[in-house]
Amino acid sequence: MKLILLGAPGAGKGTQAEKISTKYGIPSVSTGEILRAAIKDNTALGMEAKSFMDRGDLVPDAVVIGIIKEYLSSDNCKNGFILDGFPRSIPQAEALDAMGVTIDAVLDIEVDDAKIVERMSGRRVCLTCGATHHVVYNPPKKEGICDKCGKELTIRKDDAPETVLSRLETYHNITEPLKDYYSKKGNLVVVEGQEQVDETTKLVFEALSRFE
Ligand code: AMP
């Protein structure tokens, strides 16, 4: 299965990507996670991306298209993949088409803005393995510690309230038109994000079952 996850920042793409990845045995790739790892490691890519990310702006298309091109050509993706956070603009979607990649489904997780702002304030991420938790909706078993790898959880710098508003604006202006783009291609599936992670997962699995 070749899948794209669409949705506002904080809609739960990363969390659902993990669930889908486990169920279908396909890798999930998050451009945001790759970029955060590059910043942590102080690589040239990280240095290029950092100021955009700190402001809540999108990293230039050419940079993320390059990351995805390299990733999709790896053996890892032979049997399918989940793209979490890519494409995020029409030029990125066109670049994916130009790579000759055929996508089976584009899953859009809908959550309204007020809920997003509330959710982001409780989000905690693991910079070691990329897992995402939430203090209320998806709490780690041990406070401040990642369930998946046992390392410390942190608050993302770009989850600060004023940056979240700017990221939402970017989402509505630049990313949301992708819904129309994929709807016209006939492979858009919309799921309403629920309060509880498991409830959303149930809807996601139901929606994906028709692409098996
Ligand atoms: P995410 O973890 O998906 O919320 O991404 C965090 C940040 O990484 C975004 O706010 C952007 O600055 C950057 N980023 C991730 N994916 C993309 C993309 N496809 N295009 C441009 N910037 C991206």
Side-chain angles (χ1 to χ4, degrees):
M1 191 182 292
K2 294 176 180 160
L3 204 63
I4 289 173
L5 291 190
L6 267 187
K13 298 188 295 295
T15 305
Q16 296 305 326
E18 275 184 46
K19 308 271 182 191
I20 301 167
S21 171
T22 305
K23 174 166 178 176
Y24 288 96
I26 48 173
S28 147
V29 59
S30 154
T31 37
E33 210 177 299
I34 291 172
L35 293 167
R36 276 188 292 283
I39 291 174
K40 190 177 165 222
D41 295 341
N42 263 317
T43 65
L45 171 66
M47 284 191 272
E48 188 176 0
K50 189 175 183 328
S51 60
F52 295 99
M53 290 177 74
D54 284 352
R55 286 196 303 269
D57 290 341
L58 292 183
V59 171
D61 286 339
V63 175
V64 282
I65 290 167
I67 294 174
I68 287 295
K69 216 175 206 164
E70 192 184 322
Y71 190 82
L72 294 186
S73 64
S74 72
D75 265 5
N76 227 4
C77 295
K78 267 197 325 238
N79 299 322
F81 51 78
I82 307 157
L83 298 181
D84 162 15
F86 182 95
R88 247 177 162 105
S89 66
I90 299 281
Q92 290 181 20
E94 288 170 346
L96 192 61
D97 289 346
M99 288 176 217
V101 178
T102 317
I103 298 295
D104 297 305
V106 179
L107 184 80
D108 169 38
I109 306 177
E110 285 284 319
V111 176
D112 69 41
D113 284 10
K115 200 92 213 151
I116 292 287
V117 173
E118 185 200 322
R119 279 189 188 191
M120 299 294 236
S121 64
R123 180 154 79 170
R124 302 290 181 271
V125 296
C126 175
L127 286 181
T128 305
C129 76
T132 306
H133 291 75
H134 189 282
V135 292
V136 179
Y137 302 116
N138 185 21
K141 291 191 184 81
K142 194 170 167 205
E143 199 185 322
I145 301 296
C146 177
D147 280 355
K148 210 168 151 194
C149 75
K151 295 279 163 38
E152 203 177 328
L153 294 171
T154 55
I155 300 176
R156 272 170 54 171
K157 198 169 175 185
D158 59 348
D159 278 351
E162 57 291 358
T163 316
V164 168
L165 292 179
S166 145
R167 290 168 68 201
L168 274 173
E169 199 183 330
T170 303
Y171 170 74
H172 290 305
N173 291 337
I174 301 175
T175 307
E176 214 169 11
L178 287 174
K179 285 196 228 166
D180 205 36
Y181 183 88
Y182 286 114
S183 166
K184 283 190 182 129
K185 285 180 183 275
N187 49 7
L188 184 76
V189 198
V190 181
V191 160
E192 293 292 328
Q194 307 293 307
E195 288 264 308
Q196 296 300 322
V197 170
D198 289 351
E199 308 253 304
T200 307
T201 305
K202 203 169 148 228
L203 297 178
V204 165
F205 286 173
E206 268 168 28
L208 293 182
S209 62
R210 74 181 119 122
F211 297 96
E212 285 172 4

